[in-house]
Amino acid sequence: MRQVVGKISFIILFFSLSLGRIDAQCKDANFSFQSGEKVSYHAYYNWGFIWLNAGHVSFTVDSTRYESKAAYHLKAHGSTYKGYDKLYKVRDTFEVISDTMFLEPFEFRRETNEGSTHASYHYRFNQDKRSVSARIKKEDEPLLIKSFPWKECSFDILTMVYKARNIDYSIYNEGDKIPISMLVDGEIHDIYIRYLGKESIKNRDGRRFNCLKFSPLLVEGTIFKSGEDMTVWVTDDLNRIPIIVEAKILIGSVKAVFTGAEGLRHPMQAEILSDN
């Protein structure tokens, strides 16, 4: 159970993998979301034949300013439900300040609190020098302070979630591998996703959606095995909202399921409404 509720933050991580070609999207202007948006999910774990609803995740967008510039404050928060807190309490938060046009990040913060374990990440992005200054503190490890080049068209985890929603997926064919570049744990990783076409899916509450489907390449680590053992469905409309994300982990399977949204920039046209 510790691996279940102790890894809710991975849901935020794997949303960032439902992406498109980075070199084509660097200067794509934001059209898919606006300030005031909030999207929510349940976090499930498969234990034998049972899917356990262990926690929830939310993504929010607010307006702010950064050094006198208009900016977005993007935030993702994941936590266990109170019934699971006694077993293993989780409170994980990802935040980034980005510009409002092309979503280039200014500053990123991540706070991970899982049981008695705490870790923090802080990145400052220098857009003129194309460099990143990082401060990373993990449990029982010394503070790591370093600077490194900021590769063109690479983004932090959370900004990438929102960049992905502004891509023209119609230019890809089923089976295409789409390269991406992302900053994780103080390093930039070049990976890819495989586009799997379109599919209609039904949510756990019975709502049905027309979706775009992907399978990202995973980097082997403490949660995932390497390979394409994750599937992502996002709405096939202008919002590009992730509806279901499921993956195999080292022990069992996990799933994040859309529960609701407010403040969307566009109507949810991907939902298939019953005639009855």
Side-chain angles (χ1 to χ4, degrees):
M1 180 61 66
R2 175 173 175 149
Q3 285 203 355
V4 180
V5 296
K7 296 302 181 184
I8 284 184
S9 64
F10 86 91
I11 292 175
I12 299 170
L13 293 174
F14 68 45
F15 275 131
S16 66
L17 297 176
S18 56
L19 310 173
R21 196 179 71 207
I22 298 304
D23 59 346
Q25 69 162 349
C26 283
K27 297 302 179 182
D28 285 350
N30 171 44
F31 67 81
S32 66
F33 67 89
Q34 62 185 357
S35 178
E37 180 190 271
K38 180 178 180 179
V39 187
S40 301
Y41 300 86
H42 285 316
Y44 292 88
Y45 175 74
N46 182 254
W47 194 359
F49 297 100
I50 301 173
W51 282 98
L52 301 176
N53 184 1
H56 63 90
V57 177
S58 64
F59 292 78
T60 58
V61 182
D62 291 301
S63 295
T64 188
R65 300 194 70 81
Y66 187 88
E67 296 181 351
S68 301
K69 299 177 183 178
Y72 281 133
H73 179 192
L74 310 174
K75 183 176 181 180
H77 179 73
S79 63
T80 45
Y81 294 124
K82 290 184 178 180
Y84 288 96
D85 280 351
K86 294 181 180 179
L87 296 175
Y88 199 71
K89 185 176 181 179
V90 175
R91 299 293 185 270
D92 291 340
T93 301
F94 295 67
E95 295 183 79
V96 67
I97 306 297
S98 76
D99 73 54
T100 57
M101 182 62 72
F102 303 121
L103 306 184
E104 278 208 324
F106 297 123
E107 190 168 355
F108 170 90
R109 292 182 183 274
R110 173 184 171 188
E111 294 291 331
T112 300
N113 294 280
E114 300 174 354
S116 60
T117 301
H118 174 75
S120 63
Y121 304 79
H122 183 201
Y123 307 141
R124 287 184 179 272
F125 297 84
N126 189 313
Q127 296 180 344
D128 295 326
K129 296 181 179 179
R130 298 303 304 179
S131 64
V132 181
S133 298
R135 295 174 60 91
I136 301 173
K137 181 65 174 73
K138 298 181 180 180
E139 193 77 12
D140 299 325
E141 295 183 15
L143 174 66
L144 174 63
I145 301 176
K146 68 175 185 177
S147 296
F148 52 92
W150 181 13
K151 181 179 177 180
E152 291 288 341
C153 296
S154 60
F155 299 87
D156 64 85
I157 293 171
L158 187 54
T159 304
M160 189 70 85
V161 174
Y162 290 91
K163 284 294 292 184
R165 294 170 55 183
N166 292 282
I167 298 167
D168 180 8
Y169 292 97
S170 67
I171 66 176
Y172 300 109
N173 297 315
E174 187 171 338
D176 280 354
K177 290 182 179 180
I178 307 167
I180 63 174
S181 182
M182 187 166 56
L183 174 61
V184 182
D185 287 342
E187 297 182 2
I188 294 177
H189 297 268
D190 293 319
I191 51 180
Y192 70 81
I193 66 156
R194 188 186 302 275
Y195 176 55
L196 299 177
K198 298 184 179 184
E199 185 176 315
S200 295
I201 60 169
K202 183 166 66 174
N203 216 354
R204 292 183 69 90
D205 59 6
R207 297 168 67 184
R208 296 177 63 232
F209 299 87
N210 290 320
C211 290
L212 305 171
K213 184 179 179 182
F214 307 92
S215 177
L217 174 69
L218 303 178
V219 178
E220 186 171 3
T222 58
I223 306 172
F224 301 111
K225 297 179 180 179
S226 61
E228 297 181 25
D229 286 333
M230 179 184 292
T231 307
V232 184
W233 290 264
V234 301
T235 57
D236 187 11
D237 61 12
L238 291 176
N239 294 300
R240 304 286 168 74
I241 299 294
I243 297 297
I244 296 177
V245 183
E246 61 182 23
K248 295 179 182 179
I249 55 176
L250 296 179
I251 300 178
S253 301
V254 289
K255 182 183 294 187
V257 180
F258 171 79
T259 59
E262 57 187 69
L264 296 180
R265 186 167 180 171
H266 308 284
M268 180 72 88
Q269 296 180 335
E271 184 169 3
I272 303 170
L273 301 176
S274 173
D275 294 332
N276 298 328

